[in-house]
Amino acid sequence: MRRMKPLAAHPLTATQIAAITALLGSAHLRTPQDLAALDPGIDPHNFGACLLVRPGSTAEVAAILAYCHAERIAVVPQGGRTGLSGGAITQRGQIAVSLERLDRIEVLDADQRSAVVGAGVKLGVLAARAATVGLSPGIDLGARDSATLGGLVSTNAGGNEAFRYGTMRERVLGLECVLADGTVITELGQVRKRNEGLAVERLLIGAEGTLGIVTRVALELVPARSPVATAMVALTSLTQAVALARHLRTPALVALEIMSGNHALAVVRSLGLIELAPLAAHPWLVLVEVEATSDEQAESLLVDLLGSASEQELLTDALLAQSETQRHAMWRVREDWAVDRERPGGLWYDISVPLSAMADYVARVIARVEALGASLEVFVIGHLADGNLHVTVNAPYPVSERYEAIAPLVTDELTALGGSFSAEHGIGVEKQATLLRLVSPAKLALMRSVKRAYDPHGIMNPGKVLPTESTAPSAG
Ligand SMILES: Cc1cc2nc3c(=O)[nH]c(=O)nc-3n(C[C@H](O)[C@H](O)[C@H](O)COP(=O)(O)OP(=O)(O)OC[C@H]3O[C@@H](n4cnc5c(N)ncnc54)[C@H](O)[C@@H]3O)c2cc1C
């Protein structure tokens, strides 16, 4: 072991900027002055880098990484900058590599039900193209119009359809990626069955840019949705919601999203969705969608399912969407974050828990958090069908600095329950302390070994997922 050459903590030298400009051309470089005029995405710190580069090909990505590897310059890959764990934030002395120009849908194969796309293709764009041949990416989430396939792969994103089709790890057939030293690995097979030794490229799924840069993705597609019927259902308790989930779990179910009443009430008030206000007055709400071969059949199926649920006292009230506008309003209640606007500086925990343990777990979390102070309030939204909840804690004043203090109250019993402290948003910087606390030393040691093998100088997204190492194996 020997001490690594420290990563550049100062702005790049004029020589380094000239070398990078020569690799890409000045049209595709952004200085801090340029960045100040652009939208940094979900986190203002995404644009803290001293340079943002926009390569237009895998070869250019490889050239940048080879140079940064030699010069020990830290690199942060960026897609749509919608990530919620701080994985794309940058600081002085780092280069942000935006994959936005790798935006080609190269293959859309209706027979094989697969696509090969550049890492910068936005999810919504792929979904629209796939729909033209009756297919869908099999993943959907609120940030669909900004999030990129490279970002989705790198965070192992989940979303609304993961209970049917899995997270990105299940959607990916193959990848092309560039490792820290510029080595290109191209494994873009579009078949499910491919046993060709260790699938080394697949370690980049969920690696959050710490092992290399994803440049192309081969994805398995699924049949596009049939017509759907949508309803918002009011419930008295989470126990009732879990029982309802069991009742609705048929092949026709395409969405099952949960909200606590206080979240729904905040959105309804903020957006003036008056007709949903009576439902939002209940302790819990579930948004349910089923599909069938026609609108009429979907509606009749949903009416039957909710009718039998009502007979078994699995719900308190329900409203069927009668138009696309009403359906859109119901989804806004689920996807809007009015609580954050009303009480900024809240805390987000992204957990998953088996349905059988969910109600008691949430009750314990609420009791533990509220015991810390009457002004702290817990709000819950999430993907009920796969037990993924976003537990947020807000107060009339910012509480961001209490993330670490409150985290154990939310996360530390999850492993024993068979759940996870990190469901779908990744570790980034936000969950790093929790990762170090809850993951076994053996797993952490193996993660560090993998990091050194893929990125011996530690240039790839340093400080994300794992803390930056002060020592590393000899670079030779
Ligand atoms: C309104 C909203 C709703 C959301 N809903 C969901 C949801 O339901 N489910 C869910 O899972 N997430 C959700 N997210 C989070 C976010 O959309 C996902 O994490 C998404 O996968 C991030 O993609 P991106 O292109 O924006 O990546 P970025 O935010 O740009 O980057 C995220 C991470 O991936 C790395 N990265 C990006 N591109 C590459 C690449 N090509 N190669 C290597 N590393 C790369 C970055 O370094 C960073 O660590 C939501 C976000 C918002 C704002």
Side-chain angles (χ1 to χ4, degrees):
M1 304 280 273
R2 79 170 186 220
R3 191 153 279 281
M4 290 172 79
K5 182 175 171 183
L7 295 172
H10 44 78
L12 305 184
T13 64
T15 312
Q16 287 170 329
I17 291 176
I20 292 166
T21 309
L23 293 175
L24 284 192
S26 55
H28 300 301
L29 263 53
R30 300 283 180 268
T31 64
Q33 291 72 33
D34 300 327
L35 294 176
L38 299 174
D39 177 6
I42 200 86
D43 192 319
H45 297 104
N46 286 341
F47 280 172
C50 58
L51 200 62
L52 179 140
V53 298
R54 301 165 64 243
S57 66
T58 300
E60 286 186 355
V61 174
I64 293 165
L65 289 195
Y67 181 76
C68 291
H69 180 77
E71 291 287 311
R72 313 289 199 267
I73 296 169
V75 169
V76 180
Q78 292 189 342
R81 304 181 196 95
T82 68
L84 296 174
S85 298
I89 64 171
T90 54
Q91 22 177 309
R92 255 163 74 87
Q94 299 184 329
I95 294 186
V97 177
S98 166
L99 282 305
E100 67 198 292
R101 290 177 63 217
L102 303 192
D103 62 353
R104 261 178 17 93
I105 297 176
E106 298 171 18
V107 176
L108 190 59
D109 185 335
D111 294 327
Q112 184 57 20
R113 289 186 174 170
S114 63
V116 178
V117 305
V121 169
K122 292 184 169 57
L123 176 61
V125 170
L126 175 61
R129 274 289 298 283
T132 64
V133 292
L135 296 171
S136 151
I139 177 162
D140 184 43
L141 40 81
R144 58 190 73 80
D145 294 330
S146 306
T148 62
L149 267 298
L152 294 162
V153 168
S154 302
T155 56
N156 185 28
N160 311 332
E161 300 187 344
F163 78 97
R164 303 176 83 197
Y165 301 122
T167 62
M168 281 307 285
R169 202 162 267 137
E170 284 80 39
R171 312 297 329 125
V172 168
L173 293 170
L175 288 178
E176 178 184 81
C177 52
V178 183
L179 303 186
D181 66 356
T183 302
V184 178
I185 308 265
T186 303
E187 293 286 337
L188 282 170
Q190 294 168 66
V191 287
R192 261 201 174 186
K193 292 181 173 169
R194 196 160 57 93
N195 284 332
E196 299 174 351
L198 292 182
V200 291
E201 73 288 355
R202 293 186 75 84
L203 277 186
L204 270 80
I205 306 174
E208 300 178 55
T210 63
L211 300 183
I213 294 186
V214 175
T215 45
R216 290 154 85 200
V217 183
L219 201 72
E220 185 173 40
L221 304 176
V222 300
R225 273 193 188 180
S226 306
V228 296
T230 307
M232 190 150 256
V233 180
L235 304 149
T236 51
S237 68
L238 208 40
T239 307
Q240 201 181 30
V242 170
L244 180 68
R246 197 182 307 124
H247 179 78
L248 295 174
R249 207 63 198 263
T250 63
L253 184 69
V254 294
L256 191 64
E257 299 286 306
I258 183 113
M259 293 138 270
S260 54
N262 55 356
H263 161 89
L265 212 51
V267 179
V268 162
R269 261 199 322 256
S270 167
L271 303 183
L273 302 171
I274 310 292
E275 61 185 355
L276 295 175
L279 287 175
H282 292 267
W284 292 92
L285 284 92
V286 163
L287 190 157
V288 52
E289 256 174 13
V290 296
E291 67 176 358
T293 46
S294 68
D295 289 332
E296 295 71 28
Q297 282 192 359
E299 186 169 321
S300 141
L301 176 63
L302 189 52
V303 168
D304 286 351
L305 278 168
L306 295 180
S308 52
S310 176
E311 280 162 22
Q312 296 171 53
E313 299 184 356
L314 301 180
L315 58 83
T316 312
D317 198 0
L319 182 68
L320 205 68
Q322 296 296 334
S323 64
E324 192 51 35
T325 311
Q326 262 192 347
R327 175 174 179 262
H328 183 66
M330 289 177 180
W331 272 102
R332 288 199 77 187
V333 177
R334 163 62 182 86
E335 291 185 341
D336 187 80
W337 294 348
V339 176
D340 245 34
R341 290 194 298 277
E342 283 177 6
R343 306 182 196 190
L347 309 171
W348 266 78
Y349 300 98
D350 158 42
I351 66 95
S352 55
V353 60
L355 291 197
S356 51
M358 182 183 278
D360 290 346
Y361 157 77
V362 170
R364 284 193 297 273
V365 167
I366 292 174
R368 284 194 290 255
V369 171
E370 290 184 352
L372 293 178
S375 57
L376 291 178
E377 188 171 351
V378 174
F379 299 80
V380 179
I381 52 174
H383 311 294
L384 176 62
D386 52 25
N388 176 192
L389 300 180
H390 304 307
V391 178
T392 75
V393 179
N394 293 70
Y397 47 88
V399 287
S400 337
E401 81 290 349
R402 298 180 73 178
Y403 186 93
E404 298 303 343
I406 291 177
L409 308 184
V410 181
T411 59
D412 286 15
E413 62 172 308
L414 287 164
T415 310
L417 291 175
S420 171
F421 65 88
S422 177
E424 63 172 6
H425 296 158
I427 303 294
V429 287
E430 196 168 82
K431 295 184 205 147
Q432 189 178 86
T434 310
L435 176 94
L436 297 177
R437 191 172 68 250
L438 298 183
V439 163
S440 73
K443 177 171 166 176
L444 287 173
L446 201 51
M447 284 172 67
R448 288 192 186 101
S449 303
V450 171
K451 169 77 175 166
R452 285 186 214 113
Y454 281 62
D455 177 20
H457 298 327
I459 66 161
M460 290 306 312
N461 215 356
K464 312 294 172 53
V465 185
L466 291 170
T468 310
E469 289 203 288
S470 58
T471 56
S474 163

